[in-house]
Amino acid sequence: MIDLKRIMIDMDDTITIDGYINIVNKFLKTNYTYDDIPAYWVDEIVPEKKLPKYLDYFYNKTNIYDHVKINEGAIEVIEELTKYYEVVICSAYTDYRYIEDCVNIVTFKHKWLLKNLPSINPDNFIFTSNKECIKAEIKIDDKINNLEGDAEVKLLMTAYHNKNITKEELKEKNIIRVNDWND
């Protein structure tokens, strides 16, 4: 048996896009764009008094993966990568503001992955917010903190919240920016 190099690939804002903003807009009946988002967490634009109801809605009354788009080229490139690498999908789910119900999203993530990436063994679906503990030679993520650790190659997928990270900052952390799956 040949040992394949492992690639860890994030799910949200890497494979799938637009789910969080679509859910916020549906809940608030608004038309926000990513230019309106002040930071990483899209739900920061939800008024504080509405946040508890929003979190209940998000984790218990809707499935974000009914509202996502697939990042262009993601499925095709990942399918090709499975021919040469062990592909592990690693996706965060922990929300300490709603800790008891945030686990519900794991079911939605799992079902979406089974449907859209059937070539990946479900044993290679990992749901954790501590991606540093995942051993992989290559890591692909939209969040710079998730690329910590000793991967040989660290690829930062450009997203609304990381566009302002400079080339110098990325170079210091040995991270390469990719703008899309064709990169």
Side-chain angles (χ1 to χ4, degrees):
M1 182 176 178
I2 299 172
D3 283 334
L4 298 176
K5 286 191 174 189
R6 180 178 295 143
I7 298 178
M8 180 203 86
I9 303 174
D10 175 51
M11 187 171 173
D12 300 308
D13 293 322
T14 303
I15 300 172
T16 64
I17 56 173
D18 297 343
Y20 292 98
I21 196 141
N22 289 338
I23 292 289
V24 166
N25 280 329
K26 184 177 178 186
F27 178 79
L28 294 175
K29 298 174 180 50
T30 55
N31 291 306
Y32 286 116
T33 68
Y34 284 115
D35 291 335
D36 301 313
I37 309 303
Y40 176 78
W41 298 104
V42 173
D43 61 24
E44 286 186 22
I45 60 176
V46 175
E48 194 169 328
K49 66 182 181 185
K50 291 185 178 185
L51 190 59
K53 284 185 180 181
Y54 169 77
L55 292 172
D56 181 56
Y57 172 76
F58 181 81
Y59 288 112
N60 295 309
K61 297 180 173 69
T62 193
N63 177 349
I64 186 175
Y65 298 98
D66 290 339
H67 304 276
V68 298
K69 294 178 193 167
I70 297 173
N71 203 349
E72 186 177 344
I75 300 299
E76 297 81 7
V77 171
I78 293 168
E79 292 292 330
E80 186 66 19
L81 290 172
T82 63
K83 296 175 185 176
Y84 308 99
Y85 300 93
E86 177 189 9
V87 175
V88 174
I89 306 299
C90 186
S91 190
Y93 72 92
T94 308
D95 184 338
Y96 290 98
R97 301 167 303 172
Y98 219 75
I99 196 69
E100 289 187 23
D101 291 337
C102 67
V103 73
N104 295 342
I105 202 166
V106 172
T107 300
F108 303 139
K109 288 175 182 273
H110 187 264
K111 287 180 180 180
W112 191 94
L113 288 167
L114 287 172
K115 178 182 175 187
N116 292 281
L117 287 167
S119 66
I120 298 179
N121 183 332
D123 289 344
N124 285 13
F125 300 163
I126 300 170
F127 304 105
T128 180
S129 295
N130 179 9
K131 295 183 184 181
E132 189 173 346
C133 71
I134 305 302
K135 183 172 173 38
E137 286 80 12
I138 303 166
K139 291 185 176 185
I140 305 170
D141 207 300
D142 65 297
K143 191 173 179 187
I144 198 167
N145 294 353
N146 291 337
L147 296 170
E148 298 293 331
D150 59 356
E152 295 169 18
V153 178
K154 302 172 187 181
L155 303 175
L156 180 70
M157 182 70 68
T158 298
Y160 68 94
H161 59 85
N162 68 30
K163 288 181 180 180
N164 294 329
I165 298 173
T166 67
K167 289 180 184 179
E168 292 76 25
E169 289 175 274
L170 295 176
K171 188 174 181 177
E172 281 178 29
K173 295 180 179 265
N174 196 29
I175 295 173
I176 301 165
R177 180 184 293 282
V178 292
N179 292 309
D180 55 43
W181 282 94
N182 291 322
D183 277 357

